[in-house]
Amino acid sequence: MRPKATFLTIAALSSMALLGGCSDQKTDTPPTSAPTSTGLPSNGAPAVADPITNTAQFESDPCTVIPSAEIESVGGKVERSEQEELTMGKACAWIFAKGANTVSAGLVAGNKDGLSSLYAQNATGGLTTFKPVEQVAGYPAVVYANGGEGPGTCTLAVGVRNDLVYTVIPRLGSDHPLYSDPCGMATKVAAAAIKHLKGA
């Protein structure tokens, strides 16, 4: 059990570093506590054509976005799920029964600039990985990192509104079947999340 707890702590800290990095960007507009889409998207980020507006419940309770059964269909038997309190919002961590394998996901409510913040960070050299990828269920997406890259891990941000992203971070050991394709897992988890967010 201890390796799992240690692994989860590392994943949580990595998530905090990656998600929290979005707040360090330089902008012309001071941060605001209320979401706004004024001036967004910016910095070359794509617009979200079909924004999902009914997200408040899932921002406060991220584990209700996706049923554990759907996580299991992607990554295997889930031992438990638990909520993580991160610097930029709440995430849900699903801990798999086999090995030190987790996937964390949630709406990054503290980032009011959505994908535009990542495009801005990339433009100033603030990210070590930045790769726009194919849309996930019709929504623009980016794989990114601010350090911490390695086998079995991927950070995928999907713009669900111009001012909001849903981020998925698998942390997989070499014993997991998707160890060589963590971004594939992240894409499937994000697609499941979008289906439920749109249906709410």
Side-chain angles (χ1 to χ4, degrees), residues 163-184:
D163 64 352
L164 184 66
V165 296
Y166 187 81
T167 299
V168 185
I169 309 174
R171 302 285 180 189
L172 307 176
S174 59
D175 60 336
H176 195 279
L178 293 176
Y179 173 72
S180 62
D181 187 22
C183 290

Side-chain angles (χ1 to χ4, degrees), residues 149-162:
E149 296 94 329
T153 186
C154 177
T155 302
L156 175 72
V158 181
V160 296
R161 290 199 307 260
N162 287 336

Side-chain angles (χ1 to χ4, degrees), residues 17-18 21-22 24-25 117-130 144-147 149:
L18 290 167
C22 297
D24 296 332
Q25 64 171 337
S117 67
L118 296 177
Y119 277 76
Q121 280 187 284
N122 180 60
T124 59
L127 296 174
T128 53
T129 294
F130 181 82
Y144 77 99
N146 188 12
E149 296 94 329

Side-chain angles (χ1 to χ4, degrees), residues 87-115:
T87 56
M88 297 291 281
K90 297 178 181 179
C92 186
W94 289 273
I95 297 92
F96 295 103
K98 181 181 178 182
N101 301 298
T102 68
V103 60
S104 298
L107 293 159
V108 189
N111 169 17
K112 305 302 184 186
D113 291 330
L115 284 180

